[in-house]
Amino acid sequence: MEKTAVFPGSFDPFTIGHESIVRRALPLFDRIIIAVGQNVLKDSYFPLEKKMKWIRQVFQDEPKVEVTTYTGLTVDFCRSIKAGYLLRGLRTAADFEYERAIAQVNKALNPGIETVFLLTMPEHSSINSSIVRDIVRNGGDASPFVPKAINLKE
Ligand code: ADP
């Protein structure tokens, strides 16, 4: 059976930490769906369409990767596209506690879906989207932290 993983997130914006997780997961799955969540409680700094376009640019030569958006429960989205795996990245102990709770609740909601965690590469462990947004807001150069294919000023 085809192994499909969903990599859900707000990706506000997509960073080299996210890119690395997806590339390292490629040998594990037949398809990876990067799903940009629309969270009613969390306003996005960058518009959804831009975030999706940027991620598509990063993986334009990678046929296993698709980019989409979803609303509602992540496990319901997985079921709707017949994905059996959720992919998440772990940077710190704080990530672990947060991710543990979400993964265990997701398992209770849908026992058929396994969450797979990859540990961040050490050089990416302090990169997060909120720091990148702060750099952009304050007129700094955030390009070292986002994939080369993404121009945040675009
Ligand atoms: P969310 O709002 O769902 O936390 P994010 O876009 O912040 O979405 O993150 C999506 C996933 O990517 C999460 O599993 C997060 O832990 C992981 N992630 C974020 N930054 C990094 C990084 N620098 N290295 C590895 N994983 C990361």
Side-chain angles (χ1 to χ4, degrees), residues 92-129:
T92 59
D95 267 2
F96 173 77
E97 279 305 321
Y98 175 74
E99 297 289 343
R100 181 188 57 75
I102 295 177
Q104 289 176 339
V105 170
N106 281 340
K107 191 72 181 162
L109 290 172
N110 187 338
I113 296 171
E114 287 296 348
T115 303
V116 174
F117 298 102
L118 291 187
L119 269 186
T120 187
M121 298 299 285
E123 63 269 31
H124 296 147
S125 57
S126 49
I127 298 177
N128 68 59
S129 298

Side-chain angles (χ1 to χ4, degrees), residues 8-152:
S10 28
F11 306 122
D12 194 25
F14 199 78
T15 68
I16 54 174
H18 296 128
E19 179 187 14
S20 164
I21 295 289
V22 173
R23 293 204 189 279
R24 289 166 57 212
L26 280 172
L28 305 177
F29 301 107
D30 300 303
R31 275 197 319 156
I32 297 179
I33 315 292
I34 303 176
V36 186
Q38 297 182 59
N39 187 337
V40 280
L41 302 174
K42 213 164 147 186
D43 271 343
S44 185
Y45 179 75
F46 293 102
L48 175 68
E49 288 308 321
K50 265 194 186 175
K51 295 196 293 188
M52 291 178 53
K53 185 186 88 172
W54 285 331
I55 304 170
R56 286 197 180 104
Q57 286 170 358
V58 176
F59 296 103
Q60 59 183 358
D61 297 324
E62 184 41 73
K64 281 185 173 182
V65 174
E66 290 165 41
V67 182
T68 188
T69 181
Y70 73 105
T71 51
L73 288 177
T74 307
V75 285
D76 289 344
F77 172 68
C78 291
R79 204 191 322 246
S80 75
I81 61 161
K82 297 189 169 47
Y85 302 90
L86 270 166
L87 173 65
R88 298 287 285 178
L90 290 176
R91 290 162 294 188
T92 59
D95 267 2
F96 173 77
E97 279 305 321
Y98 175 74
E99 297 289 343
R100 181 188 57 75
I102 295 177
Q104 289 176 339
V105 170
N106 281 340
K107 191 72 181 162
L109 290 172
N110 187 338
I113 296 171
E114 287 296 348
T115 303
V116 174
F117 298 102
L118 291 187
L119 269 186
T120 187
M121 298 299 285
E123 63 269 31
H124 296 147
S125 57
S126 49
I127 298 177
N128 68 59
S129 298
S130 91
I131 291 178
V132 172
R133 290 196 297 279
D134 270 351
I135 296 173
V136 172
R137 259 192 220 107
N138 292 292
D141 176 15
S143 61
F145 310 112
V146 297
K148 280 189 183 55
I150 297 181
N151 175 5
L152 295 175

